[in-house]
Amino acid sequence: MKFGVVTFPGSNCDYDAYAAAKLIGQDVEFLWHQSDDLKDSDVVILPGGFSYGDYLRSGAIARFSPIMKSVIEFAATGGLVIGICNGFQVLVESGLLPGALMRNEHLRFSCKYVYIRVERNENAFTMACQPGDILKIPIAHKDGNYYNFQADLEEIKSKNQVLFRYCDRDGSITQESNPNGSMYNIAGITNERGNVVGMMPHPERAVEDILGSSDGLKVFQSVKKYIMERAGVEKA
Amino acid sequence: MSNRKATVYVRLKDGVLDPQGVTIQRAILNMGYDMVSSVKSGRFFELEIDAEDGDVEARINEICGKLLANPVIENFQVEFEK
């Protein structure tokens, strides 16, 4: 299987995402923002960073790049897409995921390890986890405050689209463990179909114990497992 | 060719928390002015337009809805001048 990592001008976690894919033994290629070629990737990663300098709103300009046209088409046919941090911001701006990511409530850039609780595991990006698993993964953002209309928030909750929520070390969802003011402590969501995922924490920065945690590997291992199983079913 | 100018104002919808506005309002209080009870932040853009046909306003509105404002959280208002 092959990962494709998009590089926008200002992306700065593309090499970390590339390294994470290599670490789990998979093929991976960079996808340039000016190209519309996804190079037959099975999974597209929109990495963290400051695409187009975060001008206008985080992710707003990247949405109109040539590569995003292909990513949007790929997602529409069920292709697997994960946006991390700035990538999540690009996905909400593109309309591939519901809601918006606003300025952190405290207005500060926040760079630290947080705990997130896995809410669902019937998703390609969480299937190697159990519901209730607590992952220690770092955040690094200023615009990560998830917002949606109350009715739409209720809808994504009822459709099981909330994948990750900020929690404390023991997995309790508390106000103190919410690093940015996100509604419902939301750290990551999926679209209704389940093939597009966005998360503010950086799993690619937590893939080896020497980095402080290897919990982020579970996200990459999940999608690997999902694609391997899908390929097995197709062969059978 | 007519040259027109559009000024676009983008602001947060009512009910959407505006932490920047709140922080600015607190700063004004700290400066010793107690008569400002609320601040709302926003952005504005000036667009120079070269176009002759009649649907310019509709297309400018399209640009605002797709790019300059995020309709999930923001409203926009356009003022045209000849």
Side-chain angles (χ1 to χ4, degrees):
Chain A
M1 63 170 283
K2 190 200 269 184
F3 284 86
V5 180
V6 175
T7 302
F8 296 109
S11 295
N12 64 9
C13 300
D14 42 349
Y15 278 79
D16 303 70
Y18 186 98
K22 282 280 182 208
L23 197 66
I24 58 164
Q26 301 307 304
D27 289 339
V28 52
E29 285 204 60
F30 288 116
L31 309 174
W32 186 237
H33 69 111
Q34 289 290 19
S35 160
D36 58 3
D37 183 3
L38 299 182
K39 299 183 182 172
D40 295 320
S41 303
D42 299 293
V43 189
V44 172
I45 301 177
L46 304 181
F50 302 86
S51 59
Y52 300 88
D54 273 354
Y55 292 167
L56 195 56
R57 295 176 305 277
S58 300
I61 311 281
R63 168 198 173 180
F64 293 103
S65 60
I67 197 76
M68 278 310 295
K69 197 161 177 263
S70 301
V71 170
I72 290 167
E73 284 167 14
F74 180 64
T77 60
L80 295 167
V81 179
I82 183 167
I84 298 164
C85 196
N86 189 227
F88 187 9
Q89 293 160 344
V90 175
L91 290 174
V92 293
E93 283 285 343
S94 306
L96 289 176
L97 289 175
L101 290 156
M102 300 185 56
R103 183 69 22 113
N104 291 348
E105 205 168 50
H106 49 64
L107 297 175
R108 290 187 302 276
F109 188 94
S110 223
C111 184
K112 61 180 183 182
Y113 269 98
V114 297
Y115 294 97
I116 57 173
R117 194 174 78 187
V118 178
E119 299 294 294
R120 319 289 311 179
N121 74 341
E122 55 285 84
N123 182 279
F125 293 97
T126 55
M127 68 182 297
C129 309
Q130 293 301 316
D133 276 0
I134 301 157
L135 309 181
K136 184 188 171 195
I137 295 184
I139 54 165
H141 63 251
K142 193 172 184 179
D143 298 312
N145 178 356
Y146 184 80
Y147 177 84
N148 211 334
F149 301 114
Q150 201 60 43
D152 294 330
L153 177 68
E154 293 310 320
E155 191 180 326
I156 66 168
K157 279 158 68 177
S158 71
K159 289 182 175 163
N160 299 323
Q161 289 174 242
V162 179
L163 286 189
F164 302 109
R165 294 175 74 195
Y166 299 109
C167 63
D168 65 16
R169 184 188 294 266
D170 306 314
S172 301
I173 307 292
T174 61
Q175 209 179 340
E176 295 71 43
S177 58
N178 184 339
N180 52 29
S182 282
M183 281 183 155
Y184 194 58
N185 280 41
I186 284 176
I189 57 169
T190 182
N191 62 345
E192 205 176 333
R193 190 169 175 178
N195 61 312
V196 179
V197 166
M199 61 191 297
M200 287 313 296
H202 286 271
E204 81 287 1
R205 293 190 188 180
V207 291
E208 292 179 81
D209 290 334
I210 196 170
L211 298 172
S213 168
S214 58
D215 290 352
L217 265 184
K218 287 191 178 159
V219 172
F220 297 93
Q221 284 161 342
S222 289
V223 70
K224 176 181 169 185
K225 183 175 171 201
Y226 177 84
I227 288 174
M228 296 296 186
E229 286 180 9
R230 188 176 68 181
V233 170
E234 278 166 12
K235 254 184 227 162
Chain B
M1 185 71 80
S2 64
N3 256 309
R4 300 182 68 184
K5 197 168 120 183
T7 308
V8 180
Y9 298 89
V10 177
R11 63 196 76 196
L12 288 169
K13 289 181 174 173
D14 285 341
V16 176
L17 179 72
D18 177 7
Q20 291 179 104
V22 171
T23 304
I24 293 164
Q25 192 264 341
R26 279 195 205 126
I28 293 171
L29 272 182
N30 291 341
M31 289 161 71
Y33 302 104
D34 59 3
M35 74 287 196
V36 179
S37 59
S38 165
V39 174
K40 289 192 174 174
S41 67
R43 284 190 299 266
F44 86 97
F45 305 88
E46 286 177 350
L47 282 60
E48 305 271 345
I49 304 157
D50 297 327
E52 292 182 51
D53 44 345
D55 66 342
V56 169
E57 299 196 3
R59 284 187 286 155
I60 294 293
N61 275 298
E62 247 176 65
I63 292 169
C64 293
K66 283 183 183 170
L67 179 63
L68 299 185
N70 177 347
V72 178
I73 48 172
E74 295 168 328
N75 288 324
F76 63 87
Q77 182 192 338
V78 194
E79 285 170 12
F80 291 95
E81 49 182 283
K82 288 272 182 202

